[in-house]
Amino acid sequence: KINEALTTLNLGWNTIGVEGAQHIGEALKINKMLTSLDLDGHALPILELKGVSAVETIELQGKGLTHLSGIVIASCISSNLVLKSLNLQDNEIGDTGAQHIGEALKINKALTTLKLFDNKIGAEGAQHIGEALKSNMVPTSLILEKNLVG
């Protein structure tokens, strides 16, 4: 059953873990009512990330977002046909978040600019992003500087 009343969900500073974030991301694919979700101290603009509210640019830099938000963001943007630029710089997305964003990039064919500057992404996370770029030639700007890549 789909909740048709809940518009804001604050789970900030809970220990939902990777699996919990994945379940939330999957639920958001079918939930049409949730507009705001907070997993780690900053509310994510769910409708914009999903493309329901059509915006071409989303700025989420310096919000303290962790891998949990990265997982949910990835789930939302995978089918977004409007979003052209996503700024996630100066967060803590890490390898796990980068892995999920990489998976989303394999599907999303609209995003041209992705800023992941200073996100504690190591070689593993960068590899997932790189793998996605093998099958997606749409991105024209990817910023990965000031991470933990070799």
Side-chain angles (χ1 to χ4, degrees):
K1 188 171 180 172
I2 299 171
N3 184 312
E4 295 182 6
L6 186 66
T7 59
T8 302
L9 180 58
N10 186 338
L11 295 172
W13 312 116
N14 280 290
T15 54
I16 65 166
V18 171
E19 186 176 347
Q22 289 172 323
H23 288 300
I24 290 169
E26 288 302 311
L28 286 173
K29 289 180 181 179
I30 57 173
N31 182 294
K32 306 285 189 240
M33 300 305 293
L34 194 67
T35 61
S36 177
L37 171 65
D38 181 343
L39 295 176
D40 38 34
H42 181 78
L44 297 175
I46 298 301
L47 296 180
E48 290 83 356
L49 288 166
K50 289 171 51 174
V52 175
S53 292
V55 295
E56 290 190 358
T57 301
I58 296 177
E59 300 284 342
L60 292 172
Q61 73 274 10
K63 303 294 184 189
L65 304 177
T66 68
H67 62 289
L68 300 176
S69 284
I71 292 167
V72 170
I73 289 167
S75 181
C76 290
I77 67 167
S78 63
S79 59
N80 186 328
L81 301 174
V82 182
L83 186 64
K84 303 286 183 221
S85 177
L86 179 59
N87 185 350
L88 295 173
Q89 70 185 37
D90 297 321
N91 284 293
E92 298 179 16
I93 300 295
D95 285 338
T96 302
Q99 173 186 350
H100 289 270
I101 289 170
E103 292 300 315
L105 284 177
K106 290 179 182 177
I107 301 165
N108 180 300
K109 302 298 184 197
L111 196 66
T112 59
T113 301
L114 178 59
K115 297 178 183 177
L116 292 169
F117 175 96
D118 194 16
N119 260 289
K120 298 185 172 138
I121 296 171
E124 181 183 342
Q127 181 177 354
H128 287 286
I129 300 287
E131 286 296 318
L133 295 176
K134 287 180 182 178
S135 62
N136 184 350
M137 301 300 175
V138 175
T140 56
S141 178
L142 172 63
I143 300 172
L144 275 171
E145 92 183 76
K146 201 176 173 194
N147 277 290
L148 307 173
V149 181

